[in-house]
Amino acid sequence: MNALAATNRNFRQAARILGLDSKLERSLLIPFREIKVECTIPKDDGTLVSYVGFRVQHDNARGPMKGGIRYHPEVDLDEVNALAQLMTWKTAVADIPYGGAKGGIGCVPKELSLSELERLTRVFTQKIHDLIGINTDVPAPDMGTNAQTMAWILDEYSKFHGHSPAVVTGKPVDLGGSLGRESATGRGVVYAAEALLNEQGKQIKDLTFAIQGFGNVGSWVAKLIHEIGGKVVAVSDITGAVKNQNGLDIPALLSHKEATGKLNDFGGGDVMSTDELLTHDCDVLIPCALGGVLKRENADHVKAKFIVEAANHPTDPDADEILSKKGVLILPDIYANAGGVTVSYFEWVQNIQGFMWEEEKVNRELKKYMTKAFGNLKSMCQTHSCNLRMGAFTLGVNRVARATQLRGWEA
């Protein structure tokens, strides 16, 4: 099941549990605005090439819309739609004053030079500059984009609207980016896992972890768990996978990856197949890579007792059912990976105030938001006697529905 169908299914289930009016339910599902633009740029050799850019703005009942821009060959309207909708529920779960959006350009960033990427980003910004803004829609980095991409968007947008650092988040610190933004998603995942495990009477330092994906999020999750004293027994990414039942030396593994660009040949562990990671023997499994990795075919073989979804939509609904029957507790993506957007919110606040925080304050506030959101999520689970995923969806959908009704959506 693709991401859009799965998200819609979760939304409808939450709407049923909440007893939402069917007209309101339909209104919440339809995006506020879908934008599709043509971006033609000269390549370095002088030839012209055209790309298609998207921005889906899903809902603005609770505040400006917020979401990443990804550069990836598989960017299509369906995927962007699902991710924009997920952002609406995610910002509501974290209780930050935003709605959801998502965007992207269908391209292969590795095949473009730095100057080609800059031209593409600037053309895309020229096409959408009057539809984004500090109080309208605030983009951020995503797959295939980074702080430099945001710097180009900021510069291009400012040509039309004057200096506006709060128009994007995830910027370089020198241009008004927030300290702690780089580690935010991974740190949020660890705070979320801590909240779940504490509630179960367990602690990170007593458990074993397997982490799929060793990019920004996965490497920060591994590093922070290692620092707390948890045992990371297996790690994988697209280059390979390594395991060590006594716990991998994460700082050494990070240095190895930095030096060689891959996980294989790491002296402190044994090589394993990447498929094996999801079913590896551990207490907590943390998928930090792509969506749809836990499916009907492998769900039965998962040995972890807890799954913390750091990736977007890593568990498809069939696997969800199988894992729930096995008694596996799944901490859903719309809560677990909300650390990134929460610190993006802190960055936006700092830019609007023109007053920057110290990193310690950023991390402290993030922990406060993640812990509070878990408490709210749990009370929804108790009120509606549902699992954690439905607890998160009912929490998010209910907040957006209330905001929509209070604003007078029928007028």
Side-chain angles (χ1 to χ4, degrees):
M1 182 181 282
N2 75 10
L4 184 61
T7 306
N8 287 351
R9 176 170 146 171
N10 286 330
F11 167 76
R12 292 209 166 90
Q13 206 177 328
R16 233 185 359 262
I17 293 171
L18 292 164
L20 285 194
D21 174 85
S22 62
K23 293 193 292 297
L24 178 60
E25 179 182 337
R26 185 170 155 67
S27 158
L28 289 177
L29 211 47
I30 300 169
F32 170 76
R33 188 191 277 142
E34 286 184 359
I35 304 153
K36 184 177 179 182
V37 295
E38 165 259 350
C39 302
T40 299
I41 59 160
K43 295 200 68 163
D44 291 342
D45 62 8
T47 59
L48 288 180
V49 59
S50 294
Y51 299 96
V52 179
F54 301 98
R55 187 74 179 164
V56 172
Q57 298 172 330
H58 179 256
D59 190 279
N60 61 359
R62 297 182 63 257
M65 293 164 285
K66 184 93 191 76
I69 289 179
R70 55 176 53 184
Y71 289 180
H72 193 267
E74 281 161 37
V75 169
D76 65 74
L77 207 50
D78 252 14
E79 184 202 36
V80 176
N81 237 310
L83 293 167
Q85 191 197 135
L86 266 180
M87 284 302 293
T88 297
W89 316 133
K90 185 185 292 185
T91 50
V93 168
D95 202 15
I96 53 183
Y98 286 143
K102 205 75 172 191
I105 300 178
C107 66
V108 184
K110 281 203 298 285
E111 291 173 5
L112 295 170
S113 72
L114 197 62
S115 57
E116 287 166 347
L117 281 170
E118 178 174 352
R119 286 196 289 276
L120 181 57
T121 304
R122 289 183 184 277
V123 168
F124 183 52
T125 309
Q126 287 162 18
K127 296 286 174 93
I128 65 167
H129 76 89
D130 51 351
L131 299 168
I132 62 174
I134 297 168
N135 299 308
T136 317
D137 176 3
V138 182
D142 202 303
M143 269 161 63
T145 55
N146 55 25
Q148 179 59 72
T149 321
M150 296 305 109
W152 292 326
I153 295 176
L154 163 63
D155 183 67
E156 198 61 34
Y157 180 86
S158 297
K159 289 176 186 174
F160 296 94
H161 303 275
H163 183 57
S164 315
V167 71
V168 286
T169 58
K171 301 181 291 292
V173 173
D174 292 333
L175 286 176
S178 176
L179 296 171
R181 176 66 189 86
E182 194 205 333
S183 65
T185 308
R187 199 176 289 278
V189 168
V190 175
Y191 290 154
E194 247 174 343
L196 172 68
L197 295 167
N198 288 347
E199 196 244 351
Q200 297 291 316
K202 293 180 164 38
Q203 286 186 308
I204 286 182
K205 64 181 176 57
D206 304 326
L207 301 174
T208 57
F209 296 79
I211 298 172
Q212 186 206 29
F214 207 59
N216 172 280
V217 181
S219 56
W220 273 105
V221 169
K223 184 171 152 47
L224 294 166
I225 285 172
H226 184 78
E227 281 171 13
I228 295 168
K231 241 187 228 177
V232 180
V233 293
V235 168
S236 75
D237 69 0
I238 45 172
T239 66
V242 285
K243 61 178 177 183
N244 182 342
Q245 254 344 87
N246 301 317
L248 291 157
D249 178 349
I250 298 299
L253 183 58
L254 283 163
S255 309
H256 173 78
K257 170 92 194 273
E258 182 91 354
T260 65
K262 49 184 197 281
L263 292 177
N264 289 355
D265 320 324
F266 176 60
D270 305 318
V271 174
M272 63 194 264
S273 95
T274 48
D275 298 340
E276 205 190 310
L277 184 116
L278 296 164
T279 56
H280 192 66
D281 195 1
C282 62
D283 299 314
V284 186
L285 171 64
I286 309 183
C288 301
L290 287 170
V293 291
L294 289 164
K295 34 191 185 273
R296 183 186 294 158
E297 296 76 49
N298 60 9
D300 225 8
H301 308 299
V302 169
K303 299 183 187 70
K305 300 168 208 59
F306 301 95
I307 295 173
V308 179
E309 295 186 336
N312 280 322
H313 184 64
T315 317
D316 80 16
D318 292 334
D320 226 353
E321 226 161 279
I322 296 165
L323 292 161
S324 293
K325 283 201 182 100
K326 284 176 64 173
V328 177
L329 280 182
I330 303 175
L331 200 56
D333 51 1
I334 63 167
Y335 163 64
N337 65 24
V341 71
T342 304
V343 175
S344 271
Y345 163 58
F346 299 161
E347 179 177 332
W348 180 76
V349 167
Q350 291 168 76
N351 292 154
I352 288 171
Q353 290 188 324
F355 181 78
M356 306 309 284
W357 302 353
E358 287 174 6
E359 188 163 359
E360 197 189 345
K361 177 172 180 176
V362 175
N363 295 341
R364 194 170 62 241
E365 290 290 328
L366 174 59
K367 185 164 193 170
K368 202 157 79 184
Y369 270 78
M370 293 304 290
T371 311
K372 187 173 143 210
F374 184 76
N376 293 333
L377 191 162
K378 277 307 289 186
S379 65
M380 279 311 241
C381 293
Q382 280 145 7
T383 307
H384 300 292
S385 48
C386 56
N387 64 13
L388 291 163
R389 189 179 308 282
M390 271 308 115
F393 266 90
T394 51
L395 176 62
V397 171
N398 190 46
R399 279 186 175 146
V400 179
R402 279 219 24 87
T404 305
Q405 285 169 317
L406 288 165
R407 290 180 68 146
W409 70 288
E410 288 181 29

